[in-house]
Amino acid sequence: MVTGGSRGIGRACAVGLAREGASVVINYTSNAAAAEETRKACEAAGAKALIVQADVSDAAQAKALIEAAEKEFGKVDILVNNAGINRDRTIQRMSVEEWDTVVQTDLSSIFYTTNAALGGMRERNYGRIINMSSVIGQMGNVGQANYAAAKAGMIAFTKTAAKEFSRFGITVNAVCPGFVETDMVAALSEDIKKTLIGLIPLGRFGTAEEVADTVVFICKPSGAWYTGAQFSMNGGQYM
Ligand code: NAP
């Protein structure tokens, strides 16, 4: 299950997991055409793929999403909590709605999906939960208090869930990418992009595929001893 699997990092995770033989559930909220493209890419990799529209910031829809996956494939072994948005504004100018929407979409959603998937994972004594946090949750950033707080909250949630679930054979890890070339970063002005690249010792943004490779690694047997970890990948922007 990849939440926000229609585009960007989520799409790369869905396709990467499909290549490794996983059946994939692609969740999206509004861009059905993009979800369809991801489905085709997963099927081209030889996997079964199901698209489910659900707004994961809504508890009932997040629960229904997990139930739809369990109905189709019998279980959810891997949950990639990737769906996320940003609404950037300085704290002084930020509206309550901008705060709430980001915290609800990026942070509360992972409680909803994890809570819904936990029962099945416990029954089978196996699970891999990966939370797509961000370097911004580790270092903070001007104009991103809502996003930074949500992403930092994801790290704390990850550590707590890792401690609670380890006895059930379930690992929980956070992936913390720096700036990655997706629609989220494409929305920035060329000037801001240039400034940001200047802050990255390796001199470039990351790719969605690089992030997805780490997600796939965590799900393989070779990733089995990682839990409660933060996988920082940011071109050296934050050490
Ligand atoms: P993106 O290209 O903007 O794609 C966002 C994805 O999330 C889309 O699939 C979107 O679905 C989905 N989504 C948004 N709100 C949703 C909701 N309420 N319910 C279900 N799905 C929802 O973003 P991205 O850059 O790939 O980022 C993916 C994740 O990585 C996010 O959590 C982001 O914070 C994190 N991240 C990104 C970067 C970066 O530089 N790009 C860096 C660090 C961390 P639709 O297609 O239907 O809109």
Side-chain angles (χ1 to χ4, degrees):
M1 159 71 65
V2 183
T3 70
S6 49
R7 292 184 284 123
I9 294 170
R11 173 183 287 173
C13 291
V15 175
L17 291 165
R19 285 199 187 113
E20 294 295 325
S23 299
V24 184
V25 181
I26 302 150
N27 158 249
Y28 76 103
T29 181
S30 59
N31 196 334
E36 187 56 29
E37 259 184 63
T38 306
R39 184 179 68 80
K40 282 188 192 142
C42 291
E43 288 179 351
K48 289 183 191 158
L50 172 75
I51 295 174
V52 182
Q53 195 271 336
D55 176 352
V56 291
S57 71
D58 178 89
Q61 291 187 47
K63 189 163 184 264
L65 168 66
I66 298 294
E67 286 169 354
E70 289 176 338
K71 191 170 171 216
E72 180 75 10
F73 294 124
K75 56 184 185 166
V76 174
D77 283 333
I78 298 168
L79 171 62
V80 184
N81 285 313
N82 165 80
I85 56 165
N86 60 323
R87 298 282 182 272
D88 298 350
R89 190 116 32 214
T90 55
I91 294 168
Q92 195 172 5
R93 291 168 186 268
M94 188 175 291
S95 68
V96 171
E97 197 206 346
E98 284 164 340
W99 172 271
D100 285 346
T101 309
V102 170
V103 171
Q104 197 64 22
T105 305
D106 294 17
L107 179 59
S108 300
S109 64
I110 76 167
F111 164 65
Y112 303 147
T113 53
T114 302
N115 185 264
L118 181 60
M121 287 182 176
R122 273 190 66 165
E123 270 170 31
R124 293 181 299 279
N125 225 30
Y126 180 86
R128 296 285 175 266
I129 300 173
I130 293 142
N131 296 321
M132 199 57 68
S133 179
S134 167
V135 69
I136 303 302
Q138 298 171 307
M139 61 184 265
N141 199 22
V142 172
Q144 292 199 296
N146 47 3
Y147 186 79
K151 294 296 177 182
M154 290 178 84
I155 295 170
F157 181 93
T158 296
K159 292 178 184 176
T160 302
K163 287 181 178 177
E164 288 189 11
F165 304 165
S166 56
R167 65 200 167 106
F168 308 130
I170 302 167
T171 68
V172 191
N173 288 287
V175 175
C176 304
F179 290 91
V180 178
E181 281 172 353
T182 66
D183 294 344
M184 196 177 261
V185 166
L188 301 171
S189 74
E190 286 309 313
D191 273 359
I192 291 180
K193 282 192 219 171
K194 217 172 146 190
T195 307
L196 287 173
I197 287 177
L199 300 172
I200 303 171
L202 288 180
R204 66 169 178 89
F205 294 137
T207 68
E209 287 69 27
E210 286 172 318
V211 180
D213 283 350
T214 297
V215 170
V216 169
F217 163 75
I218 294 168
C219 298
K220 286 183 172 181
S222 46
W225 208 46
Y226 291 91
T227 198
Q230 292 168 62
F231 288 76
S232 298
M233 42 189 330
N234 53 50
Q237 185 182 357
Y238 181 74
M239 302 180 188

